[in-house]
Amino acid sequence: MKNVLGLINLHENEELLKELTRQRPLAAVPFGGRYRLVDFVLSNMVNSGIVNVGIVVKHKARSIMDHLRSGKEWDLARKRDGLFILPPPDHTHYSNSIYKGDLEHFHNHVDFLQRSSQEYVIVAGSHTVYNTDYREAFRYHLEKQADITIIYKEEQPAPGKQYSLATLVKVDDGGRVTDMQVSTGRIAGGPVCLETFIMRKSLLLEIIEDCVAHGEYDFVKEGIVKRLGRLRVYGFPFTGYMAKINSVQAYFRANMDLLQPEVWQDLFLKSGPVYTKVKDEPPANYRDQVAASNVLVANGCIIEGRVENSLLFRSVRVHRGAYVNNCIIMQKGEIGPNAVLENVICDKDVHISAAKRLIGDKNYVMVIEKGMKV
Amino acid sequence: MLHKECVAMILAGGQGSRLGVLTKTVAKPAIPFGGKYRLIDFTLSNCHNSGIDTVGVLTQYQPFELHNYIGIGTPWDLDRNTGGVHILPPFVRARGGEWYQGTANAIHQNATFIEQFSPQYVIVLSGDHIYKMDYSRMLAFHKQSAADATIAVIEVPWKEATRFGIMNADEEGRITEFAEKPKQPKSNLASMGVYIFSWKVLRKYLELDEKDKSSSHDFGKNVIPAMLESGRKMMAYAFDGYWRDVGTVESLWEANMDLLSDRPALDLYDPGWRIFSINPTQPPHFVAEGAKARRVIASVGCRIFGEVENAVLFPGVHVGPGAVIRDSVIMEGVRIGANTVIEQAIVGQDAVVGDGCQIGLAGDAAAEAITVVGERARVGADSLIPRGAVVE
């Protein structure tokens, strides 16, 4: 896989997640107790043996750069290749330019693509969370002599489970993608695209040049869908756990899915560990009179109250008499004595004062924004 | 020329033979502690937090794991362009080499390492004590009192005083007497094994000590008494925090249990004085529905399906359904089968305990004895292991 370049595309739709993305890009949204969304795709690439990764950062680059730094945690701080942050074009120099689409951004960084020595490229987003080794899909790509291979998952419709903003693919018996549909509405199931594409780097460059020359700026809609007839596009079926994080509900549900031991195993350990920027937190501490049931708890937490069906990120403190049920409490959250929280997402650094009662709806969870004192 | 005011030398070659199977393959400083740490993390973190960035670690006994663990010092922010952490094992010279003969000899053999930083002061530390201490304050005290040597001291229980270097100091803190492991201690002020020396003075005494054929080349037994005898100004620096030398299985178990109280004397959660260590790449731990955790320290990667009370769980521990763990220390990667009961035990790294076992349940054996299951041990299903037994 040394011959494959990783390109993580952070041009993603954040509309339905505004509460969590106001201060950070989707890729930097905390997930699973100690991770950021971008950790999953980046770890997939590293665990597959990819050694050169470019990250196309759309906006609010600071939180991504702070998280990734040199890439050392992903073993990507290298003398050659490694991790490259590809910042957005400097709009101060184009005072009347507006955001056109991800291809404009790709176009701005074609020199990075041209200069990297890899012959192939995997383009992937950060909002699709899964754990895989890309080697299998890459082998499939070569075997089929495909121009583009799209990784997808056949999602069975399940009650209460819906996708928003997903790309659906239609795959024939030979594995060929015959149609794609970029949906902005809700979808119950079907062959859902993992927003992961394998192709020759030269083809990607061709697509970029061609699209931009014609004033087309959307990579999936205009770069890929429009070429389905002309190119050999194949679908590679992925069968593990996958979650699409593009609404608050989906975010909440995917976190809760981790409370199933099979999903925990699949997403965190299947094809290798998920790397992240580490903090030197002590292990979690359950004090006296504690009841904890069906919970995922990160290091640094001190738990004195009752926690059920919930995720606690690093250094969360649950005081005596507090009751937390069906909640996600992000880093450094503090739940005051005798407070009651149900169906709530607390972003980072949220303080809930003593005896406060916050009850969200099961199907419409309450979000407390970063740094709030309630 | 490179100059550092103070260089730290950590003595980390100790075997810790009284810890039995727990130190069969690792030196004492590499022993896991507190659900995540190794003993040496405390000293290295103290160095980092005290602003000491030049550290030599002297190793000897079973050094592989320790060398591997310390690496280039990244977890303690000691991977520096100048200074940083250096591992110093014994080595062979043109005129023949030798193992470290004693603590003083170990420092003497590495005088060249120290000289390259031309320090004014050298702080000599042990790699196997659990405590949080700001060495910069002790150094300030040393400078202020214009001492030749400063020894950190702590009050220990009188009955334990015979285990330590015991000293008498006058009202200003000047040491008047020093006795290494005295039979009849005259005070309960014990040396913590933390010494600051003015390097020029120390170098002279180390050379004198080397020439003395009858010496056992030890700081406590030889160098400190010799300095005292010749009237050098030696100060006692009082420390009143938590400090443990976990020399035995019992004391290692107790020090782990100390962390489980509501207000532990050793606060690991103080963001102002973090204890750094290697952070394993593992997901947050999971406590299943119907499982129980009361007075528990649990690290990343654990999966708890049973009941855990008064216990320290290191990363990646699996506790099967129906299992009960009480008053125990379970080290990294241990798998405990369903319906197994473990009491008052230390279970070593990567051990596998089958279903339906009973380990360390109070029986005829002395109630205070700790049961030990060694590293990578395999305990078959339905085994009965009496309290105080050792499984290799």
Side-chain angles (χ1 to χ4, degrees):
Chain A
M1 294 293 275
K2 287 214 163 91
N3 203 18
V4 181
L5 171 72
L7 197 61
I8 299 178
N9 182 7
L10 301 191
H11 285 261
E12 298 175 283
N13 197 328
E14 302 173 352
E15 261 314 288
L16 299 173
L17 264 147
K18 257 192 241 132
E19 293 92 330
L20 299 172
T21 54
R22 206 154 280 154
Q23 309 192 36
R24 51 169 92 92
L26 185 50
V29 168
F31 182 81
R34 71 179 296 202
Y35 306 98
R36 306 273 184 165
L37 287 179
V38 72
D39 291 339
F40 291 86
V41 61
L42 194 52
S43 299
N44 284 342
M45 287 182 174
V46 169
N47 288 332
S48 309
I50 291 175
V51 294
N52 197 14
V53 178
I55 303 204
V56 182
V57 183
K58 180 182 169 191
H59 61 168
K60 298 180 200 115
R62 190 198 55 79
S63 65
I64 283 289
M65 289 170 77
D66 174 34
H67 181 67
L68 300 174
R69 296 184 297 182
S70 68
K72 190 170 175 51
E73 268 99 347
W74 295 265
D75 207 17
L76 286 174
R78 301 293 186 87
K79 293 212 162 178
R80 289 198 63 174
D81 292 341
L83 184 78
F84 294 86
I85 304 269
L86 309 176
D90 186 351
H91 282 281
T92 56
H93 285 110
Y94 312 90
S95 52
N96 52 5
S97 77
I98 47 154
Y99 170 67
K100 292 185 187 128
D102 45 4
L103 281 175
E104 183 198 20
H105 195 160
F106 284 18
H107 189 249
N108 263 288
H109 288 287
V110 286
D111 57 334
F112 167 74
L113 296 171
Q114 280 157 349
R115 264 185 222 174
S116 53
S117 60
Q118 286 76 15
E119 203 181 332
Y120 294 90
V121 59
I122 293 185
V123 185
S126 77
H127 77 278
T128 313
V129 171
Y130 59 104
N131 188 325
T132 195
D133 187 330
Y134 290 125
R135 267 175 273 228
E136 225 183 309
F138 185 59
R139 219 174 294 133
Y140 177 90
H141 176 76
L142 297 180
E143 268 165 30
K144 292 283 181 189
Q145 297 181 309
D147 291 318
I148 299 175
T149 297
I150 298 174
I151 304 182
Y152 74 97
K153 189 185 174 196
E154 189 68 52
E155 277 288 340
Q156 301 305 325
K161 206 168 179 185
Q162 280 187 324
Y163 291 95
S164 328
L165 311 172
T167 307
L168 286 174
V169 292
K170 201 174 269 174
V171 185
D172 71 14
D173 293 342
R176 193 122 181 212
V177 177
T178 53
D179 197 10
M180 278 173 91
Q181 180 198 350
V182 180
S183 163
T184 49
R186 295 190 170 189
I187 299 156
V192 179
C193 175
L194 266 60
E195 307 297 333
T196 306
F197 310 91
I198 306 173
M199 65 188 86
R200 265 182 201 280
K201 195 176 69 185
S202 55
L203 175 62
L204 177 64
L205 285 165
E206 226 177 275
I207 291 175
I208 295 169
E209 294 298 343
D210 192 38
C211 283
V212 170
H214 291 88
E216 299 171 334
Y217 293 103
D218 191 296
F219 174 61
V220 174
K221 274 190 218 159
E222 288 158 331
I224 293 180
V225 179
K226 280 194 176 174
R227 283 170 177 74
L228 282 179
R230 268 182 279 158
L231 297 173
R232 291 169 58 84
V233 182
Y234 278 82
F236 176 77
F238 169 78
T239 51
Y241 176 82
M242 177 272 278
K244 279 195 170 288
I245 314 295
N246 44 21
S247 70
V248 170
Q249 284 313 309
Y251 173 82
F252 186 74
R253 198 180 52 222
N255 272 289
M256 288 299 157
D257 280 348
L258 298 170
L259 297 174
Q260 301 164 32
E262 317 80 61
V263 175
W264 189 94
Q265 177 80 26
D266 193 298
L267 191 55
F268 290 140
L269 304 167
K270 189 172 139 206
S271 301
V274 185
Y275 306 95
T276 187
K277 177 182 177 183
V278 295
K279 293 271 165 77
D280 291 271
E281 305 285 0
N285 192 340
Y286 296 85
R287 299 269 162 92
D288 211 353
Q289 313 296 337
V290 162
S293 173
N294 205 29
V295 292
L296 195 71
V297 177
N299 274 355
C301 293
I302 297 180
I303 303 169
E304 294 170 307
R306 255 171 86 202
V307 187
E308 285 171 18
N309 315 314
S310 296
L311 282 93
L312 305 186
F313 283 65
R314 287 186 297 238
S315 289
V316 166
R317 177 122 200 199
V318 179
H319 286 270
R320 249 165 230 289
Y323 176 52
V324 176
N325 183 22
N326 221 29
C327 291
I328 296 170
I329 316 290
M330 294 193 207
Q331 292 90 302
K332 294 187 186 154
E334 195 160 349
I335 314 299
N338 305 313
V340 176
L341 263 72
E342 239 169 296
N343 307 322
V344 175
I345 297 174
C346 292
D347 204 330
K348 277 174 79 173
D349 298 312
V350 164
H351 287 239
I352 307 291
S353 46
K356 196 95 202 163
R357 274 179 74 86
L358 294 174
I359 315 284
D361 188 275
K362 225 180 153 81
N363 298 310
Y364 196 76
V365 293
M366 187 188 286
V367 180
I368 315 283
E369 284 194 42
K370 192 173 164 181
M372 295 277 279
K373 297 205 172 10
V374 183
Chain B
M1 167 135 186
L2 204 54
H3 169 73
K4 298 277 178 179
E5 186 187 33
C6 182
V7 170
M9 297 294 273
I10 301 178
L11 302 162
Q15 180 181 358
S17 50
R18 286 172 302 156
L19 284 156
V21 293
L22 297 173
T23 51
K24 209 165 69 180
T25 60
V26 296
K28 198 175 148 196
I31 287 185
F33 171 78
K36 169 172 185 183
Y37 309 98
R38 306 248 183 177
L39 297 186
I40 199 165
D41 286 332
F42 290 86
T43 310
L44 287 171
S45 300
N46 286 343
C47 285
H48 168 86
N49 289 327
S50 305
I52 294 174
D53 67 0
T54 308
V55 180
V57 182
L58 297 98
T59 61
Q60 178 151 291
Y61 173 78
Q62 289 282 6
F64 172 71
E65 201 155 322
L66 198 53
H67 289 186
N68 209 12
Y69 185 71
I70 295 170
I72 56 166
T74 310
W76 308 273
D77 208 15
L78 288 169
D79 50 339
R80 302 291 185 89
N81 283 346
T82 63
V85 72
H86 299 260
I87 289 171
L88 306 168
F91 56 96
V92 175
R93 272 158 288 203
R95 281 183 292 129
E98 56 181 8
W99 294 104
Y100 294 146
Q101 302 301 313
T103 50
N105 172 258
I107 302 292
H108 182 261
Q109 286 201 40
N110 287 291
T112 338
F113 166 77
I114 298 171
E115 297 272 287
Q116 64 175 323
F117 301 104
S118 55
Q120 277 117 301
Y121 309 102
V122 168
I123 180 163
V124 178
L125 304 161
S126 300
D128 47 14
H129 295 161
I130 301 164
Y131 65 118
K132 301 197 300 185
M133 180 177 178
D134 190 343
Y135 303 137
S136 68
R137 285 165 70 178
M138 180 171 167
L139 183 62
F141 173 85
H142 177 82
K143 287 197 261 186
Q144 202 181 8
S145 47
D148 296 308
T150 299
I151 301 175
V153 296
I154 187 163
E155 279 185 43
V156 293
W158 276 94
K159 64 175 168 81
E160 283 181 36
T162 55
R163 279 176 52 206
F164 299 99
I166 294 296
M167 56 203 86
N168 271 326
D170 66 15
E171 278 158 21
E172 276 110 56
R174 184 157 178 172
I175 297 167
T176 53
E177 258 182 291
F178 182 92
E180 181 72 8
K181 297 182 182 161
K183 293 218 169 65
Q184 243 96 47
K186 288 185 196 162
S187 102
N188 65 338
L189 272 189
S191 162
M192 294 165 61
V194 174
Y195 312 107
I196 293 180
F197 295 100
S198 297
W199 169 236
K200 279 189 187 140
V201 177
L202 177 64
R203 193 175 50 192
K204 197 175 127 193
Y205 280 87
L206 288 178
E207 274 155 21
L208 284 173
D209 180 66
E210 278 303 302
K211 288 185 191 123
D212 181 357
K213 291 279 174 278
S214 66
S215 170
S216 48
H217 308 301
D218 187 85
F219 275 104
K221 283 189 203 124
N222 313 103
V223 175
I224 306 280
M227 288 177 81
L228 209 52
E229 214 168 282
S230 55
R232 289 287 177 179
K233 187 171 187 191
M234 308 188 62
M235 299 296 289
Y237 176 78
F239 177 76
D240 61 358
Y242 182 93
W243 179 81
R244 285 289 180 281
D245 174 3
V246 288
T248 60
V249 170
E250 285 72 24
S251 60
L252 178 66
W253 178 84
E254 272 165 26
N256 274 289
M257 293 299 124
D258 283 348
L259 298 171
L260 298 170
S261 66
D262 270 353
R263 292 190 176 279
L266 181 76
D267 181 10
L268 296 173
Y269 295 80
D270 174 8
W273 200 273
R274 271 181 208 276
I275 306 303
F276 300 95
S277 68
I278 289 183
N279 293 286
T281 307
Q282 291 206 41
H285 71 263
F286 173 63
V287 181
E289 208 164 339
K292 257 191 204 155
R294 183 171 168 265
R295 291 208 183 283
V296 167
I297 282 182
S299 198
V300 289
C302 292
R303 273 173 288 184
I304 305 170
F305 294 91
E307 282 180 34
V308 188
E309 192 175 332
N310 250 348
V312 175
L313 307 185
F314 282 74
V317 170
H318 178 97
V319 180
V324 178
I325 296 170
R326 273 189 221 108
D327 309 323
S328 295
V329 179
I330 314 292
M331 290 184 185
E332 190 162 348
V334 170
R335 272 192 78 84
I336 292 163
N339 304 314
T340 283
V341 182
I342 298 180
E343 260 180 37
Q344 208 166 296
I346 297 179
V347 181
Q349 204 167 317
D350 295 319
V352 177
V353 180
D355 297 346
C357 296
Q358 298 199 353
I359 295 177
L361 300 197
D364 306 334
E368 65 268 26
I370 310 297
T371 312
V372 181
V373 177
E375 222 182 311
R376 284 184 279 279
R378 293 283 177 275
V379 180
D382 303 314
S383 302
L384 294 175
I385 292 164
R387 177 162 291 190
V390 174
V391 182
E392 286 198 42

